[in-house]
Amino acid sequence: MAKSRKPKKKKTPLSPITAQECEDAAPHISYELRAMVQARDLNDYAKKQTDPKYADAVIVMRNCAIESFLMHYRTLREFFSSHPKLKADNLKAIDYLSTWQTSAGWVTDQNEIERIHKRLAHLSTQRTWLDSNWDMAHMEWSVSQTFEDFILKLAPNQHAWFQATTDLIEQRKPTAAVVLGADSNSTASGGQPMMIFPPFQ
């Protein structure tokens, strides 16, 4: 006897996120930027450790820091992107700002997000040859620029929800210095301006 198939469930429209849910969730969105910044600073700290006794520990610390940075970067990219929600409780920038759109390259760069997926989410033969260098200074700057743009477009009463983020971005805004080459705290090489970020406190 043939087994009877269960009828497929009809897809129900996603319920909109309420204003109260948006306000309650704002600290969690801010946390993503704060955690990303902390991970970047931890990586910078680890790179300065030169005692050979701790060489293995430094590698572990740097791997953890880089992967944490990329995870929070990816989470914020998803928040600011125009990709449709997969689940009703997913938070997106459009839940806060119905007209939200961004053309920021870090949000729309599919090649970069695929490279992040290969590093974080998928065991792949591509790991053997994918570029493993990440320009965290430039990545942080890009995220902060988009976050600032988002906050500025919010209603005035919503600005307070992201005050901690605004303060952090202001604290971390880079200053330009002219250098002959780039280093780990730089976004450019060959005499281009270098972005110097204050360390996270």
Side-chain angles (χ1 to χ4, degrees), residues 40-162:
R40 181 188 161 211
D41 285 351
L42 178 61
N43 181 59
D44 287 347
Y45 171 81
K47 283 193 292 188
K48 295 174 184 174
Q49 309 312 306
T50 57
D51 190 328
K53 290 188 300 183
Y54 303 113
D56 289 343
V58 166
I59 291 171
V60 171
M61 189 185 299
R62 289 200 61 199
N63 281 334
C64 290
I66 291 167
E67 289 172 7
S68 177
F69 179 94
L70 294 176
M71 180 184 71
H72 295 293
Y73 179 89
R74 184 174 67 171
T75 298
L76 287 169
R77 177 190 181 273
E78 180 58 30
F79 174 76
F80 287 119
S81 77
S82 57
H83 297 154
K85 292 185 182 188
L86 297 178
K87 294 189 177 180
D89 62 339
N90 286 358
L91 277 168
K92 306 276 290 181
I94 200 168
D95 292 314
Y96 291 80
L97 194 64
S98 62
T99 57
W100 172 255
Q101 284 186 328
T102 182
S103 59
W106 75 279
V107 177
T108 59
D109 186 345
Q110 194 58 36
N111 289 331
E112 181 182 72
I113 199 60
E114 282 297 322
R115 187 160 70 103
I116 292 173
H117 288 337
K118 297 298 183 186
R119 171 71 185 247
L120 296 181
H122 308 295
L123 282 171
S124 166
T125 57
Q126 292 187 35
R127 283 197 189 185
T128 61
W129 56 264
L130 279 174
D131 183 5
S132 60
N133 294 313
W134 304 93
D135 189 348
M136 293 187 183
H138 183 70
M139 293 167 82
E140 178 187 333
W141 178 81
S142 298
V143 174
S144 296
Q145 290 256 307
T146 302
F147 222 134
E148 260 193 324
D149 183 42
F150 167 71
I151 293 170
L152 285 171
K153 290 176 179 176
L154 293 174
N157 68 302
Q158 295 175 309
H159 289 177
W161 302 353
F162 295 97

